[in-house]
């Protein structure tokens, strides 16, 4: 009698899932039966390279955050993805000195902006444990937002009042510049508001050393490389899992059964779940559907509930042929009156007030980019292309004096925006440690079910394993965090079957 191979099914063909599949196949193809099921029509998950107006852009993951020790940088180098004849997003890195413009068409000098920028950087460095600030220590702040606001208040107390600029007082303008930096920080973390971002957890986040770069040949090239070792048929697209039945007795004698949206099912000995934290939240909340049967243990369900998961969307706009500026479109930092201010200009849409910049995707490009976070990012997904183009055109006219008397009302002729929030396969972008949670919750999320077992009366171990950026307590929110998590779970199974030491 020939014994059957253990069957491993990986849910999700993103970075974590394909890293696990690559490792399992290359290390134990003859010992394991491997399948990757993907609910969408493509591989890559939150990595998706595309083209817009002749340029290579990224819908999702954009940066390799630190090249020293990054396996993704190594893969990109080995597969010639670090060079390209086609222009690509952020190919120049930083674009140099920004132009900062305040609502009403007021250009702000570096002498005004830089002290506030340095203050914000110093406060963030203090939170991250990189610097000490005289006379300012954590006064029991639970959130990043509360600490930053306390730091700003202490700074403004020592500042002398200045003259007004248009409808701006000096103090309101300083606060608005600070708020602009807060909006930038929100895109880094995906937190809807920095008041929901845990203060103590920030210092536990680990950055890889070295410069941050974008992938010339497209981030999807790294995904393609990971998938290239897998034989045809291992990855199955259009297979959306609706229920994971574990600790069960299937007709094939395997303890896990996956039920798909088309009514079919598949049994497995081990399932590596790599879906987003947003999908896990929806599949374990009292208002959502029950993804796991039986339900997850309360400690794991609690960790999923407490951790933060936010939405970040990108908007690409192409300048219309009629837009003319001798110096090209600037790296524009945008400073707005608060959304509830009576001084705000009604021509500037509410949904644009908490974004912070609009800039070319590389030097002299006629494609410009802006990032949105939280509620504004979700609202953006519901707008028509014309509403987005019109909103940005009116905002640019309001901010830049050179454009205020330009008779051309539409500055842009094409738009592309991402829609990660309304996509049911993701329901957002990436995780963060919210107030009330901790990195320990990420460790809890990463624990397999059951962790031990396999005796005469105990259930088989490692039925459900978890990978994905939200399961890595020091590199969450990053592609390399997802990579490391996929490798971790693959190695867990390989060690279980004595394929590695």
């Amino acid at each position: 009698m020939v014994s059957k191979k253990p069957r491993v099914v990986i849910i999700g063909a993103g970075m974590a899932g394909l890293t696990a599949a690559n490792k399992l196949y290359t290390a134990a193809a003859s010992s394991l039966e491997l399948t990757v099921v993907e609910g969408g029509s493509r591989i890559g998950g939150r990595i998706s390279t595309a083209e817009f107006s002749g340029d290579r852009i990224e819908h999702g993951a954009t940066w390799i955050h630190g090249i020293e020790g990054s396996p993704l940088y190594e893969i990109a180098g080995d597969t010639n993805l670090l060079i390209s004849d086609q222009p690509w997003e952020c190919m120049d890195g930083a674009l140099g000195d920004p132009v900062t413009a305040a609502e009403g068409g007021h250009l702000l000098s570096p002498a005004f902006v830089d002290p506030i920028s340095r203050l914000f950087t110093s406060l963030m460095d203090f939170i991250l444990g990189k610097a000490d600030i005289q006379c300012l220590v954590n006064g029991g702040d639970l959130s990043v937002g509360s600490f930053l606001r306390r730091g700003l208040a202490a700074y403004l107390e020592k500042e002398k009042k200045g003259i007004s600029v248009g409808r701006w007082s000096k103090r309101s303008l300083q606060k608005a510049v600070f708020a602009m930096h807060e909006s930038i920080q929100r895109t880094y973390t995906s937190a809807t508001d920095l008041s929901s971002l845990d203060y103590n957890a920030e210092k536990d986040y680990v950055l890889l050393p070295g410069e941050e770069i974008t992938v010339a040949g497209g981030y999807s090239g790294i995904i393609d490389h990971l998938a290239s070792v897998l034989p045809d048929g291992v990855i199955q697209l259009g297979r959306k899992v609706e229920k994971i039945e574990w600790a069960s007795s299937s007709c094939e004698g395997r303890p896990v059964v996956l039920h798909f949206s088309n009514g079919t099912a598949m049994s497995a000995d081990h399932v590596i779940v790599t879906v987003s934290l947003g999908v896990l939240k929806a599949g374990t909340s009292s208002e959502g559907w029950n993804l796991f049967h039986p339900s997850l243990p309360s400690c794991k369900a609690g960790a999923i509930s407490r951790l933060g998961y936010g939405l970040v969307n990108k908007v690409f706009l192409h300048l219309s042929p009629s837009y003319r500026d001798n110096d090209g479109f600037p790296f524009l930092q945008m400073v707005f009156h608060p959304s509830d201010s009576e001084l705000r200009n009604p021509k500037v849409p509410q949904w644009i007030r908490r974004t912070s910049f609009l800039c070319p995707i590389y030097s002299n490009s006629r494609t410009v980019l802006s990032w949105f976070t939280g509620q504004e990012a979700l609202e953006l997904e519901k707008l028509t292309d014309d509403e987005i183009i019109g909103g940005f055109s009116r905002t640019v006219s309001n901010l830049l004096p050179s454009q205020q008397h330009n008779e051309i009302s539409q500055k842009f002729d094409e738009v592309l925006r991402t829609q990660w929030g309304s996509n049911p396969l993701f329901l957002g972008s990436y995780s963060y440690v919210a107030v009330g949670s901790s990195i320990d919750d990420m460790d809890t999320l990463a624990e397999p079910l059951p962790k031990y077992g396999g005796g005469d009366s105990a259930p088989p171990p490692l039925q459900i394993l978890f990978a994905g950026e939200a399961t890595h307590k020091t590199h969450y929110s990053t592609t390399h965090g997802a990579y490391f998590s996929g490798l971790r779970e693959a190695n867990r199974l390989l060690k279980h079957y004595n394929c590695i030491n």
Side-chain angles (χ1 to χ4, degrees), residues 252-325:
E252 297 182 26
R254 303 185 194 270
V256 187
V257 180
L258 303 181
H259 298 268
F260 298 96
S261 58
N262 63 1
T264 61
M266 178 187 297
S267 63
D269 295 287
H270 311 281
V271 171
I272 304 178
V273 177
T274 73
V275 299
S276 75
L277 180 59
V279 171
L280 289 178
K281 282 178 175 289
T284 56
S285 70
S286 56
E287 296 83 17
W289 88 99
N290 195 358
L291 177 60
F292 296 92
H293 296 258
S295 297
L296 296 178
S298 58
C299 59
K300 190 176 287 285
I304 291 170
S305 175
R306 288 187 295 270
L307 286 168
Y309 183 73
L311 172 62
V312 178
N313 275 320
K314 299 163 78 173
V315 176
F316 297 91
L317 295 148
H318 186 258
L319 291 166
S320 64
S322 56
Y323 180 91
R324 289 287 179 266
D325 191 308

Side-chain angles (χ1 to χ4, degrees), residues 138-147 195-201 434-436:
N138 182 17
D141 298 279
L142 291 176
S143 74
V144 169
S146 63
F147 177 79
S195 63
S196 66
L197 189 64
D198 186 76
Y199 175 91
N200 292 308
V435 171

Side-chain angles (χ1 to χ4, degrees), residues 98-173:
V99 171
T100 307
E103 188 170 350
H106 307 288
L107 296 183
L108 306 181
S109 69
F112 184 91
V113 175
D114 289 352
I116 302 296
S117 301
R118 286 194 295 269
L119 169 68
F120 188 89
T121 299
S122 297
L123 292 170
M124 285 305 305
D125 283 347
F126 181 85
I127 292 171
L128 296 172
K130 296 179 181 179
D132 190 17
I133 301 177
Q134 295 293 328
C135 303
L136 184 64
V137 296
N138 182 17
D141 298 279
L142 291 176
S143 74
V144 169
S146 63
F147 177 79
L148 290 174
R149 286 287 150 170
R150 194 161 60 83
L152 176 62
Y155 174 86
L156 293 179
E157 280 182 8
K158 301 176 183 178
E159 278 285 287
K160 296 179 180 179
K161 291 184 178 180
I163 60 173
S164 298
V165 179
R167 305 184 76 181
W168 294 91
S169 67
K170 178 185 177 183
R171 180 150 297 189
S172 67
L173 201 51

